[in-house]
Amino acid sequence: MPLADNLTSIRYLLTDVDDTLTTDGRLLPETLAALYRLEDAGIDVIPVTGGCAGWCDQMIRLWPVPAVIGENGAFYFVRDPTGKVEFHSWDTPEAGLASRQRLLNIAEVAMACVPALRLAKDQPYRLSDVALDHGQDVSGVSAEDIDRALATFREAGANARASSIHINAWFGDYSKQAMAQRLLQQKYGLTEPNIQQYVAFVGDSPNDESMFAYLTHTFGVANIGRWLDRMTHHPRYLLAQRGGIGFSELATLLLRAQRRESKADIGGNDGRSILANGKGP
């Protein structure tokens, strides 16, 4: 099936943030405009990020997004019908605090093994995980260094993944995929077949592999190319542009597909949408 036909059913776009929505660390005007264009078209954009709770609180309050999943699935923020923001955690806050302290101890060992690593500057605003900076404000960290740090966490029983800028580590059975599935089922009422039909994901690094493995409609911005040989699960489609420009490219494809579907509905369905409320069941 051609890509354009594959996109006509998409009503939810889940997206990584760093180096997927952002370009060289910035949210470009055209990318922010793409978020608003998707919202206007009835496509909900939901960031799914390793970013800290502090950043996620800002995202849902300032961006045109109805929900945000943060710290690789430790929690989500969602806006209720009155516009107020709700917080939902995978574990209890007490469990998250205890895990974070254990992880900080392991992080000290990892940084001793790879001296160029540093705690991410947003670490004080994290609730559950630990992030080591390997490419945001530091340099000189090789792929082999990243692997050594990942192994340090995993040998201590923690989960650990590398994003384009951070090494994220956490304890528990949550992930980007697990929390995305929970959010889509609990807050949007989607069944598993609905999720596979109506939801797409776009990302840029190994930290997004659980999403690439889970969903049918998956995309990688062009800068994912540097990671592909280190990944088991790849996006189904690669975009031509990198970062937020690649996200804007995908937004244009989705909006064109919606326009094609609308014309088909008018021609064959007496103007009625084939999806209830434009969002599926």
Side-chain angles (χ1 to χ4, degrees):
M1 180 182 293
L3 174 59
D5 293 336
N6 252 349
L7 299 182
T8 57
S9 67
I10 301 303
R11 297 298 178 268
Y12 305 86
L13 177 58
L14 278 54
T15 178
D16 179 60
V17 175
D18 291 304
D19 294 318
T20 300
L21 272 180
T22 64
T23 307
D24 299 327
R26 302 278 182 101
L27 183 66
L28 299 180
E30 52 265 54
T31 309
L32 183 60
L35 290 173
Y36 278 100
R37 287 192 294 136
L38 289 167
E39 180 189 46
D40 289 343
I43 296 176
D44 284 348
V45 179
I46 301 174
V48 185
T49 176
C52 68
W55 276 111
C56 292
D57 182 81
Q58 180 197 52
M59 289 174 199
I60 196 165
R61 296 182 190 279
L62 297 183
W63 295 359
V65 299
V68 179
I69 295 170
E71 295 184 24
N72 287 299
F75 57 81
Y76 66 79
F77 290 100
V78 65
R79 189 178 294 107
D80 72 15
T82 71
K84 296 185 182 303
V85 173
E86 300 174 357
F87 175 81
H88 297 265
S89 178
W90 186 271
D91 293 318
T92 65
E94 293 78 14
L97 181 62
S99 293
R100 187 178 57 186
Q101 188 54 56
R102 290 173 61 197
L103 290 162
L104 285 169
N105 294 335
I106 303 168
E108 292 295 333
V109 178
M111 288 187 287
C113 294
V114 184
L117 291 172
R118 295 287 185 273
L119 282 174
K121 288 188 172 65
D122 68 0
Q123 185 60 50
Y125 314 108
R126 291 181 175 271
L127 296 178
S128 299
D129 75 346
V130 161
L132 294 182
D133 182 355
H134 71 76
Q136 186 174 41
D137 295 316
V138 305
S139 58
V141 180
S142 67
E144 292 73 20
D145 290 334
I146 293 173
D147 287 341
R148 280 202 300 276
L150 290 170
T152 300
F153 284 108
R154 290 168 180 165
E155 289 166 4
N159 299 296
R161 304 290 293 184
S163 74
S164 59
I165 58 173
H166 291 162
I167 293 168
N168 295 94
W170 67 96
F171 286 111
D173 57 356
Y174 64 82
S175 65
K176 286 187 173 186
Q177 176 273 323
M179 188 56 99
Q181 185 178 29
R182 177 180 290 190
L183 170 65
L184 292 166
Q185 291 174 345
Q186 290 183 348
K187 292 298 178 179
Y188 292 94
L190 298 185
T191 64
E192 191 59 34
N194 293 157
I195 291 172
Q196 297 306 322
Q197 182 177 0
Y198 301 130
V199 180
F201 175 78
V202 57
D204 76 297
S205 75
N207 203 30
D208 300 316
E209 279 195 84
S210 66
M211 299 299 293
F212 295 142
Y214 174 52
L215 291 172
T216 300
H217 306 288
T218 59
F219 298 82
V221 290
N223 42 295
I224 199 173
R226 63 179 285 222
W227 298 103
L228 290 177
D229 63 351
R230 298 167 60 83
M231 296 170 58
T232 301
H233 302 287
H234 294 169
R236 186 171 181 184
Y237 300 104
L238 294 179
L239 297 159
Q241 303 297 321
R242 66 186 186 95
I245 304 301
F247 179 89
S248 301
E249 175 190 347
L250 176 57
T252 297
L253 292 172
L254 290 171
L255 294 169
R256 284 176 180 167
Q258 281 226 340
R259 287 195 292 271
R260 290 175 70 248
E261 183 191 42
S262 296
K263 289 179 181 178
D265 289 345
I266 292 171
N269 293 291
D270 299 324
R272 294 189 298 272
S273 172
I274 60 174
L275 299 176
N277 300 319
K279 289 289 185 182

PDB file of all heavy atoms in Angstrom, residues 227-259:
ATOM      1  N   TRP A 227      22.309   5.999  13.925  1.00  0.00           N
ATOM      2  CA  TRP A 227      22.055   4.983  14.959  1.00  0.00           C
ATOM      3  C   TRP A 227      21.585   3.650  14.401  1.00  0.00           C
ATOM      4  O   TRP A 227      21.548   2.658  15.142  1.00  0.00           O
ATOM      5  CB  TRP A 227      20.986   5.488  15.934  1.00  0.00           C
ATOM      6  CG  TRP A 227      21.337   6.714  16.691  1.00  0.00           C
ATOM      7  CD1 TRP A 227      20.899   7.991  16.452  1.00  0.00           C
ATOM      8  CD2 TRP A 227      22.201   6.817  17.827  1.00  0.00           C
ATOM      9  NE1 TRP A 227      21.420   8.866  17.356  1.00  0.00           N
ATOM     10  CE2 TRP A 227      22.230   8.175  18.224  1.00  0.00           C
ATOM     11  CE3 TRP A 227      22.949   5.890  18.564  1.00  0.00           C
ATOM     12  CZ2 TRP A 227      22.977   8.625  19.310  1.00  0.00           C
ATOM     13  CZ3 TRP A 227      23.690   6.336  19.648  1.00  0.00           C
ATOM     14  CH2 TRP A 227      23.706   7.688  20.003  1.00  0.00           C
ATOM     15  N   LEU A 228      21.192   3.588  13.146  1.00  0.00           N
ATOM     16  CA  LEU A 228      20.480   2.417  12.648  1.00  0.00           C
ATOM     17  C   LEU A 228      21.260   1.122  12.806  1.00  0.00           C
ATOM     18  O   LEU A 228      20.675   0.072  13.103  1.00  0.00           O
ATOM     19  CB  LEU A 228      20.085   2.625  11.180  1.00  0.00           C
ATOM     20  CG  LEU A 228      18.982   3.663  10.932  1.00  0.00           C
ATOM     21  CD1 LEU A 228      18.730   3.831   9.442  1.00  0.00           C
ATOM     22  CD2 LEU A 228      17.695   3.294  11.648  1.00  0.00           C
ATOM     23  N   ASP A 229      22.580   1.176  12.624  1.00  0.00           N
ATOM     24  CA  ASP A 229      23.349  -0.065  12.737  1.00  0.00           C
ATOM     25  C   ASP A 229      23.519  -0.528  14.185  1.00  0.00           C
ATOM     26  O   ASP A 229      24.030  -1.619  14.444  1.00  0.00           O
ATOM     27  CB  ASP A 229      24.722   0.079  12.059  1.00  0.00           C
ATOM     28  CG  ASP A 229      25.600   1.137  12.710  1.00  0.00           C
ATOM     29  OD1 ASP A 229      25.101   1.882  13.587  1.00  0.00           O
ATOM     30  OD2 ASP A 229      26.788   1.223  12.334  1.00  0.00           O
ATOM     31  N   ARG A 230      23.065   0.281  15.137  1.00  0.00           N
ATOM     32  CA  ARG A 230      23.109  -0.086  16.548  1.00  0.00           C
ATOM     33  C   ARG A 230      21.719  -0.444  17.079  1.00  0.00           C
ATOM     34  O   ARG A 230      21.560  -0.655  18.279  1.00  0.00           O
ATOM     35  CB  ARG A 230      23.688   1.072  17.374  1.00  0.00           C
ATOM     36  CG  ARG A 230      25.121   1.434  17.001  1.00  0.00           C
ATOM     37  CD  ARG A 230      25.533   2.768  17.607  1.00  0.00           C
ATOM     38  NE  ARG A 230      25.459   2.781  19.055  1.00  0.00           N
ATOM     39  CZ  ARG A 230      26.405   2.324  19.875  1.00  0.00           C
ATOM     40  NH1 ARG A 230      27.511   1.795  19.368  1.00  0.00           N
ATOM     41  NH2 ARG A 230      26.262   2.398  21.183  1.00  0.00           N
ATOM     42  N   MET A 231      20.745  -0.509  16.182  1.00  0.00           N
ATOM     43  CA  MET A 231      19.359  -0.740  16.579  1.00  0.00           C
ATOM     44  C   MET A 231      18.847  -2.066  16.034  1.00  0.00           C
ATOM     45  O   MET A 231      19.195  -2.469  14.927  1.00  0.00           O
ATOM     46  CB  MET A 231      18.463   0.409  16.088  1.00  0.00           C
ATOM     47  CG  MET A 231      18.780   1.750  16.710  1.00  0.00           C
ATOM     48  SD  MET A 231      17.921   3.130  15.903  1.00  0.00           S
ATOM     49  CE  MET A 231      16.201   2.637  16.105  1.00  0.00           C
ATOM     50  N   THR A 232      17.981  -2.710  16.806  1.00  0.00           N
ATOM     51  CA  THR A 232      17.312  -3.933  16.366  1.00  0.00           C
ATOM     52  C   THR A 232      16.003  -3.616  15.669  1.00  0.00           C
ATOM     53  O   THR A 232      15.661  -4.216  14.650  1.00  0.00           O
ATOM     54  CB  THR A 232      17.043  -4.858  17.569  1.00  0.00           C
ATOM     55  OG1 THR A 232      18.283  -5.176  18.203  1.00  0.00           O
ATOM     56  CG2 THR A 232      16.348  -6.135  17.127  1.00  0.00           C
ATOM     57  N   HIS A 233      15.259  -2.652  16.210  1.00  0.00           N
ATOM     58  CA  HIS A 233      13.953  -2.286  15.665  1.00  0.00           C
ATOM     59  C   HIS A 233      14.050  -0.917  14.999  1.00  0.00           C
ATOM     60  O   HIS A 233      14.409   0.065  15.643  1.00  0.00           O
ATOM     61  CB  HIS A 233      12.903  -2.272  16.771  1.00  0.00           C
ATOM     62  CG  HIS A 233      12.773  -3.576  17.486  1.00  0.00           C
ATOM     63  ND1 HIS A 233      12.184  -4.684  16.914  1.00  0.00           N
ATOM     64  CD2 HIS A 233      13.193  -3.957  18.730  1.00  0.00           C
ATOM     65  CE1 HIS A 233      12.227  -5.687  17.766  1.00  0.00           C
ATOM     66  NE2 HIS A 233      12.833  -5.280  18.864  1.00  0.00           N
ATOM     67  N   HIS A 234      13.718  -0.864  13.717  1.00  0.00           N
ATOM     68  CA  HIS A 234      13.843   0.355  12.928  1.00  0.00           C
ATOM     69  C   HIS A 234      12.465   0.934  12.606  1.00  0.00           C
ATOM     70  O   HIS A 234      11.469   0.206  12.579  1.00  0.00           O
ATOM     71  CB  HIS A 234      14.566   0.060  11.613  1.00  0.00           C
ATOM     72  CG  HIS A 234      15.979  -0.356  11.801  1.00  0.00           C
ATOM     73  ND1 HIS A 234      16.726  -0.882  10.766  1.00  0.00           N
ATOM     74  CD2 HIS A 234      16.806  -0.330  12.879  1.00  0.00           C
ATOM     75  CE1 HIS A 234      17.949  -1.164  11.197  1.00  0.00           C
ATOM     76  NE2 HIS A 234      18.011  -0.836  12.483  1.00  0.00           N
ATOM     77  N   PRO A 235      12.396   2.239  12.340  1.00  0.00           N
ATOM     78  CA  PRO A 235      11.137   2.799  11.846  1.00  0.00           C
ATOM     79  C   PRO A 235      10.804   2.241  10.477  1.00  0.00           C
ATOM     80  O   PRO A 235      11.695   1.874   9.700  1.00  0.00           O
ATOM     81  CB  PRO A 235      11.422   4.298  11.779  1.00  0.00           C
ATOM     82  CG  PRO A 235      12.909   4.399  11.646  1.00  0.00           C
ATOM     83  CD  PRO A 235      13.463   3.254  12.430  1.00  0.00           C
ATOM     84  N   ARG A 236       9.526   2.193  10.184  1.00  0.00           N
ATOM     85  CA  ARG A 236       9.098   1.651   8.890  1.00  0.00           C
ATOM     86  C   ARG A 236       9.462   2.589   7.751  1.00  0.00           C
ATOM     87  O   ARG A 236       9.779   2.146   6.641  1.00  0.00           O
ATOM     88  CB  ARG A 236       7.590   1.405   8.907  1.00  0.00           C
ATOM     89  CG  ARG A 236       7.077   0.708   7.658  1.00  0.00           C
ATOM     90  CD  ARG A 236       5.629   0.290   7.802  1.00  0.00           C
ATOM     91  NE  ARG A 236       5.173  -0.402   6.600  1.00  0.00           N
ATOM     92  CZ  ARG A 236       3.921  -0.820   6.403  1.00  0.00           C
ATOM     93  NH1 ARG A 236       3.010  -0.615   7.342  1.00  0.00           N
ATOM     94  NH2 ARG A 236       3.583  -1.431   5.285  1.00  0.00           N
ATOM     95  N   TYR A 237       9.397   3.899   8.008  1.00  0.00           N
ATOM     96  CA  TYR A 237       9.693   4.885   6.973  1.00  0.00           C
ATOM     97  C   TYR A 237      10.745   5.864   7.480  1.00  0.00           C
ATOM     98  O   TYR A 237      10.728   6.254   8.650  1.00  0.00           O
ATOM     99  CB  TYR A 237       8.439   5.674   6.580  1.00  0.00           C
ATOM    100  CG  TYR A 237       7.313   4.827   6.045  1.00  0.00           C
ATOM    101  CD1 TYR A 237       6.211   4.536   6.843  1.00  0.00           C
ATOM    102  CD2 TYR A 237       7.350   4.333   4.740  1.00  0.00           C
ATOM    103  CE1 TYR A 237       5.168   3.756   6.350  1.00  0.00           C
ATOM    104  CE2 TYR A 237       6.315   3.558   4.248  1.00  0.00           C
ATOM    105  CZ  TYR A 237       5.230   3.268   5.059  1.00  0.00           C
ATOM    106  OH  TYR A 237       4.201   2.492   4.582  1.00  0.00           O
ATOM    107  N   LEU A 238      11.633   6.286   6.587  1.00  0.00           N
ATOM    108  CA  LEU A 238      12.623   7.311   6.908  1.00  0.00           C
ATOM    109  C   LEU A 238      12.242   8.599   6.190  1.00  0.00           C
ATOM    110  O   LEU A 238      11.945   8.595   4.986  1.00  0.00           O
ATOM    111  CB  LEU A 238      14.021   6.870   6.475  1.00  0.00           C
ATOM    112  CG  LEU A 238      14.611   5.673   7.223  1.00  0.00           C
ATOM    113  CD1 LEU A 238      15.999   5.344   6.670  1.00  0.00           C
ATOM    114  CD2 LEU A 238      14.684   5.933   8.719  1.00  0.00           C
ATOM    115  N   LEU A 239      12.246   9.692   6.932  1.00  0.00           N
ATOM    116  CA  LEU A 239      11.943  11.004   6.364  1.00  0.00           C
ATOM    117  C   LEU A 239      13.196  11.596   5.736  1.00  0.00           C
ATOM    118  O   LEU A 239      14.324  11.224   6.102  1.00  0.00           O
ATOM    119  CB  LEU A 239      11.381  11.917   7.450  1.00  0.00           C
ATOM    120  CG  LEU A 239      10.039  11.419   8.031  1.00  0.00           C
ATOM    121  CD1 LEU A 239       9.782  12.030   9.395  1.00  0.00           C
ATOM    122  CD2 LEU A 239       8.898  11.727   7.065  1.00  0.00           C
ATOM    123  N   ALA A 240      13.030  12.519   4.825  1.00  0.00           N
ATOM    124  CA  ALA A 240      14.169  13.091   4.112  1.00  0.00           C
ATOM    125  C   ALA A 240      14.914  14.127   4.934  1.00  0.00           C
ATOM    126  O   ALA A 240      16.114  14.344   4.729  1.00  0.00           O
ATOM    127  CB  ALA A 240      13.689  13.726   2.798  1.00  0.00           C
ATOM    128  N   GLN A 241      14.220  14.784   5.884  1.00  0.00           N
ATOM    129  CA  GLN A 241      14.811  15.887   6.632  1.00  0.00           C
ATOM    130  C   GLN A 241      15.092  15.466   8.080  1.00  0.00           C
ATOM    131  O   GLN A 241      14.518  14.518   8.594  1.00  0.00           O
ATOM    132  CB  GLN A 241      13.871  17.096   6.616  1.00  0.00           C
ATOM    133  CG  GLN A 241      13.507  17.574   5.228  1.00  0.00           C
ATOM    134  CD  GLN A 241      14.711  18.065   4.446  1.00  0.00           C
ATOM    135  OE1 GLN A 241      15.595  18.716   5.005  1.00  0.00           O
ATOM    136  NE2 GLN A 241      14.757  17.755   3.149  1.00  0.00           N
ATOM    137  N   ARG A 242      15.957  16.217   8.729  1.00  0.00           N
ATOM    138  CA  ARG A 242      16.342  15.879  10.098  1.00  0.00           C
ATOM    139  C   ARG A 242      15.583  16.734  11.112  1.00  0.00           C
ATOM    140  O   ARG A 242      15.069  17.798  10.802  1.00  0.00           O
ATOM    141  CB  ARG A 242      17.843  16.086  10.291  1.00  0.00           C
ATOM    142  CG  ARG A 242      18.313  17.523  10.202  1.00  0.00           C
ATOM    143  CD  ARG A 242      19.827  17.626  10.260  1.00  0.00           C
ATOM    144  NE  ARG A 242      20.275  19.017  10.315  1.00  0.00           N
ATOM    145  CZ  ARG A 242      20.549  19.657  11.442  1.00  0.00           C
ATOM    146  NH1 ARG A 242      20.436  19.036  12.604  1.00  0.00           N
ATOM    147  NH2 ARG A 242      20.946  20.921  11.417  1.00  0.00           N
ATOM    148  N   GLY A 243      15.536  16.221  12.335  1.00  0.00           N
ATOM    149  CA  GLY A 243      14.998  16.984  13.451  1.00  0.00           C
ATOM    150  C   GLY A 243      13.617  17.537  13.191  1.00  0.00           C
ATOM    151  O   GLY A 243      12.744  16.889  12.601  1.00  0.00           O
ATOM    152  N   GLY A 244      13.402  18.774  13.686  1.00  0.00           N
ATOM    153  CA  GLY A 244      12.092  19.393  13.572  1.00  0.00           C
ATOM    154  C   GLY A 244      11.653  19.658  12.151  1.00  0.00           C
ATOM    155  O   GLY A 244      10.437  19.749  11.880  1.00  0.00           O
ATOM    156  N   ILE A 245      12.599  19.775  11.229  1.00  0.00           N
ATOM    157  CA  ILE A 245      12.223  19.933   9.816  1.00  0.00           C
ATOM    158  C   ILE A 245      11.640  18.618   9.298  1.00  0.00           C
ATOM    159  O   ILE A 245      10.684  18.596   8.524  1.00  0.00           O
ATOM    160  CB  ILE A 245      13.430  20.369   8.975  1.00  0.00           C
ATOM    161  CG1 ILE A 245      14.040  21.648   9.541  1.00  0.00           C
ATOM    162  CG2 ILE A 245      13.011  20.586   7.517  1.00  0.00           C
ATOM    163  CD1 ILE A 245      13.091  22.820   9.609  1.00  0.00           C
ATOM    164  N   GLY A 246      12.224  17.496   9.757  1.00  0.00           N
ATOM    165  CA  GLY A 246      11.651  16.194   9.412  1.00  0.00           C
ATOM    166  C   GLY A 246      10.272  16.013  10.004  1.00  0.00           C
ATOM    167  O   GLY A 246       9.374  15.453   9.361  1.00  0.00           O
ATOM    168  N   PHE A 247      10.074  16.492  11.239  1.00  0.00           N
ATOM    169  CA  PHE A 247       8.741  16.432  11.839  1.00  0.00           C
ATOM    170  C   PHE A 247       7.754  17.239  11.001  1.00  0.00           C
ATOM    171  O   PHE A 247       6.623  16.795  10.746  1.00  0.00           O
ATOM    172  CB  PHE A 247       8.773  16.964  13.270  1.00  0.00           C
ATOM    173  CG  PHE A 247       7.424  16.957  13.943  1.00  0.00           C
ATOM    174  CD1 PHE A 247       6.991  15.845  14.642  1.00  0.00           C
ATOM    175  CD2 PHE A 247       6.581  18.057  13.849  1.00  0.00           C
ATOM    176  CE1 PHE A 247       5.734  15.813  15.237  1.00  0.00           C
ATOM    177  CE2 PHE A 247       5.324  18.046  14.448  1.00  0.00           C
ATOM    178  CZ  PHE A 247       4.903  16.926  15.142  1.00  0.00           C
ATOM    179  N   SER A 248       8.160  18.426  10.568  1.00  0.00           N
ATOM    180  CA  SER A 248       7.292  19.247   9.726  1.00  0.00           C
ATOM    181  C   SER A 248       6.984  18.552   8.408  1.00  0.00           C
ATOM    182  O   SER A 248       5.862  18.656   7.883  1.00  0.00           O
ATOM    183  CB  SER A 248       7.954  20.606   9.469  1.00  0.00           C
ATOM    184  OG  SER A 248       8.198  21.292  10.680  1.00  0.00           O
ATOM    185  N   GLU A 249       7.974  17.848   7.866  1.00  0.00           N
ATOM    186  CA  GLU A 249       7.761  17.068   6.647  1.00  0.00           C
ATOM    187  C   GLU A 249       6.662  16.026   6.867  1.00  0.00           C
ATOM    188  O   GLU A 249       5.754  15.869   6.033  1.00  0.00           O
ATOM    189  CB  GLU A 249       9.079  16.388   6.266  1.00  0.00           C
ATOM    190  CG  GLU A 249       9.007  15.435   5.082  1.00  0.00           C
ATOM    191  CD  GLU A 249      10.288  14.627   4.913  1.00  0.00           C
ATOM    192  OE1 GLU A 249      11.319  14.972   5.541  1.00  0.00           O
ATOM    193  OE2 GLU A 249      10.256  13.632   4.160  1.00  0.00           O
ATOM    194  N   LEU A 250       6.728  15.314   8.006  1.00  0.00           N
ATOM    195  CA  LEU A 250       5.715  14.314   8.314  1.00  0.00           C
ATOM    196  C   LEU A 250       4.349  14.966   8.512  1.00  0.00           C
ATOM    197  O   LEU A 250       3.327  14.439   8.049  1.00  0.00           O
ATOM    198  CB  LEU A 250       6.116  13.532   9.563  1.00  0.00           C
ATOM    199  CG  LEU A 250       5.096  12.507  10.075  1.00  0.00           C
ATOM    200  CD1 LEU A 250       4.740  11.484   9.004  1.00  0.00           C
ATOM    201  CD2 LEU A 250       5.635  11.803  11.324  1.00  0.00           C
ATOM    202  N   ALA A 251       4.316  16.106   9.185  1.00  0.00           N
ATOM    203  CA  ALA A 251       3.044  16.807   9.383  1.00  0.00           C
ATOM    204  C   ALA A 251       2.391  17.127   8.036  1.00  0.00           C
ATOM    205  O   ALA A 251       1.171  16.961   7.862  1.00  0.00           O
ATOM    206  CB  ALA A 251       3.279  18.090  10.183  1.00  0.00           C
ATOM    207  N   THR A 252       3.179  17.576   7.075  1.00  0.00           N
ATOM    208  CA  THR A 252       2.649  17.887   5.752  1.00  0.00           C
ATOM    209  C   THR A 252       2.075  16.639   5.097  1.00  0.00           C
ATOM    210  O   THR A 252       0.990  16.679   4.483  1.00  0.00           O
ATOM    211  CB  THR A 252       3.751  18.501   4.875  1.00  0.00           C
ATOM    212  OG1 THR A 252       4.174  19.743   5.461  1.00  0.00           O
ATOM    213  CG2 THR A 252       3.245  18.758   3.465  1.00  0.00           C
ATOM    214  N   LEU A 253       2.767  15.510   5.218  1.00  0.00           N
ATOM    215  CA  LEU A 253       2.267  14.257   4.648  1.00  0.00           C
ATOM    216  C   LEU A 253       0.936  13.857   5.285  1.00  0.00           C
ATOM    217  O   LEU A 253       0.005  13.435   4.588  1.00  0.00           O
ATOM    218  CB  LEU A 253       3.295  13.138   4.852  1.00  0.00           C
ATOM    219  CG  LEU A 253       4.605  13.254   4.076  1.00  0.00           C
ATOM    220  CD1 LEU A 253       5.583  12.176   4.537  1.00  0.00           C
ATOM    221  CD2 LEU A 253       4.352  13.127   2.581  1.00  0.00           C
ATOM    222  N   LEU A 254       0.835  13.992   6.611  1.00  0.00           N
ATOM    223  CA  LEU A 254      -0.400  13.630   7.301  1.00  0.00           C
ATOM    224  C   LEU A 254      -1.556  14.540   6.885  1.00  0.00           C
ATOM    225  O   LEU A 254      -2.679  14.076   6.663  1.00  0.00           O
ATOM    226  CB  LEU A 254      -0.192  13.708   8.812  1.00  0.00           C
ATOM    227  CG  LEU A 254       0.711  12.643   9.430  1.00  0.00           C
ATOM    228  CD1 LEU A 254       1.001  12.969  10.896  1.00  0.00           C
ATOM    229  CD2 LEU A 254       0.080  11.259   9.322  1.00  0.00           C
ATOM    230  N   LEU A 255      -1.284  15.827   6.779  1.00  0.00           N
ATOM    231  CA  LEU A 255      -2.338  16.769   6.416  1.00  0.00           C
ATOM    232  C   LEU A 255      -2.795  16.564   4.976  1.00  0.00           C
ATOM    233  O   LEU A 255      -3.991  16.678   4.673  1.00  0.00           O
ATOM    234  CB  LEU A 255      -1.853  18.197   6.640  1.00  0.00           C
ATOM    235  CG  LEU A 255      -1.589  18.546   8.121  1.00  0.00           C
ATOM    236  CD1 LEU A 255      -0.866  19.871   8.237  1.00  0.00           C
ATOM    237  CD2 LEU A 255      -2.876  18.564   8.909  1.00  0.00           C
ATOM    238  N   ARG A 256      -1.873  16.242   4.079  1.00  0.00           N
ATOM    239  CA  ARG A 256      -2.258  15.938   2.705  1.00  0.00           C
ATOM    240  C   ARG A 256      -3.130  14.688   2.661  1.00  0.00           C
ATOM    241  O   ARG A 256      -4.123  14.635   1.913  1.00  0.00           O
ATOM    242  CB  ARG A 256      -1.004  15.730   1.846  1.00  0.00           C
ATOM    243  CG  ARG A 256      -0.276  17.010   1.475  1.00  0.00           C
ATOM    244  CD  ARG A 256       0.984  16.691   0.709  1.00  0.00           C
ATOM    245  NE  ARG A 256       1.713  17.893   0.342  1.00  0.00           N
ATOM    246  CZ  ARG A 256       2.959  17.891  -0.118  1.00  0.00           C
ATOM    247  NH1 ARG A 256       3.606  16.734  -0.284  1.00  0.00           N
ATOM    248  NH2 ARG A 256       3.565  19.024  -0.422  1.00  0.00           N
ATOM    249  N   ALA A 257      -2.767  13.681   3.467  1.00  0.00           N
ATOM    250  CA  ALA A 257      -3.557  12.443   3.506  1.00  0.00           C
ATOM    251  C   ALA A 257      -4.957  12.717   4.017  1.00  0.00           C
ATOM    252  O   ALA A 257      -5.938  12.156   3.509  1.00  0.00           O
ATOM    253  CB  ALA A 257      -2.858  11.406   4.387  1.00  0.00           C
ATOM    254  N   GLN A 258      -5.068  13.602   5.022  1.00  0.00           N
ATOM    255  CA  GLN A 258      -6.395  13.946   5.541  1.00  0.00           C
ATOM    256  C   GLN A 258      -7.235  14.649   4.478  1.00  0.00           C
ATOM    257  O   GLN A 258      -8.434  14.391   4.362  1.00  0.00           O
ATOM    258  CB  GLN A 258      -6.252  14.840   6.771  1.00  0.00           C
ATOM    259  CG  GLN A 258      -5.903  14.096   8.036  1.00  0.00           C
ATOM    260  CD  GLN A 258      -6.752  14.550   9.209  1.00  0.00           C
ATOM    261  OE1 GLN A 258      -7.334  15.638   9.199  1.00  0.00           O
ATOM    262  NE2 GLN A 258      -6.840  13.717  10.217  1.00  0.00           N
ATOM    263  N   ARG A 259      -6.608  15.538   3.718  1.00  0.00           N
ATOM    264  CA  ARG A 259      -7.355  16.236   2.667  1.00  0.00           C
ATOM    265  C   ARG A 259      -7.843  15.252   1.609  1.00  0.00           C
ATOM    266  O   ARG A 259      -8.970  15.362   1.115  1.00  0.00           O
ATOM    267  CB  ARG A 259      -6.491  17.330   2.042  1.00  0.00           C
ATOM    268  CG  ARG A 259      -6.298  18.545   2.936  1.00  0.00           C
ATOM    269  CD  ARG A 259      -5.769  19.728   2.169  1.00  0.00           C
ATOM    270  NE  ARG A 259      -4.409  19.529   1.695  1.00  0.00           N
ATOM    271  CZ  ARG A 259      -3.319  19.832   2.385  1.00  0.00           C
ATOM    272  NH1 ARG A 259      -3.421  20.334   3.604  1.00  0.00           N
ATOM    273  NH2 ARG A 259      -2.121  19.636   1.871  1.00  0.00           N
TER     274      ARG A 259
END
